[in-house]
Amino acid sequence: MQTPLEVDFRNIPPSAALSAAIRKRAAKLETFCDSIVGCHVTIESPHHHHHQGVRYAVHIRLTVPGKVISVSREPDTAAHEDAYLTLHDAFDAAQRQLQDYVRVRRGDVKEHATQNGRPVR
């Protein structure tokens, strides 16, 4: 990455273990695309009024040449009560989007011909 990884914790205390997990997953993203300009990860506990355990939301913003890839995992299911599982889900989604970006940049994905915004038949 051209700029250092940024990790923010909101409404939860910073955790060295979570930071290490984030850094490990971000490093893995670089194996799929070596032209990542920057990565910003935010992990938060958005609601203090909950009926069950603490739920976590993760937001990942990857900056690559010509595009910004954004991934959010909001606390909507019980699976989001585990911060590591939520991180795993978010980074998997970011990895899929990054792989799609690389395929398009490489020319592996064909674009359909259009004329005046409509597909040519």
Side-chain angles (χ1 to χ4, degrees):
M1 270 181 251
Q2 295 176 5
T3 60
L5 172 68
E6 296 178 42
V7 179
D8 287 336
F9 292 91
R10 294 186 185 159
N11 300 326
I12 59 172
S15 166
L18 274 175
S19 292
I22 291 169
R23 292 187 192 288
K24 181 178 177 182
R25 292 300 303 252
K28 185 177 178 184
L29 290 179
E30 287 188 293
T31 62
F32 297 103
C33 179
D34 58 354
S35 62
I36 296 174
V37 176
C39 180
H40 185 208
V41 179
T42 304
I43 182 165
E44 64 180 328
S45 176
H47 303 289
H48 293 290
H49 52 282
H50 48 78
H51 298 286
Q52 296 177 338
V54 177
R55 294 183 183 230
Y56 298 96
V58 175
H59 308 283
I60 301 171
R61 186 169 183 249
L62 285 172
T63 307
V64 291
K67 188 172 184 175
V68 174
I69 298 172
S70 295
V71 174
S72 292
R73 288 296 177 257
E74 298 293 332
D76 56 354
T77 63
H80 292 104
E81 291 181 13
D82 182 3
Y84 294 97
L85 184 57
T86 308
L87 274 174
H88 181 76
D89 288 347
F91 272 100
D92 281 352
Q95 178 181 324
R96 286 189 298 273
Q97 288 187 28
L98 188 61
Q99 288 172 326
D100 289 344
Y101 165 80
V102 170
R103 278 189 213 103
V104 169
R105 294 279 295 205
R106 225 179 12 222
D108 292 346
V109 178
K110 293 182 181 178
E111 293 188 25
H112 296 285
T114 60
Q115 183 178 14
N116 298 329
R118 294 185 171 166
V120 177
R121 295 181 189 215

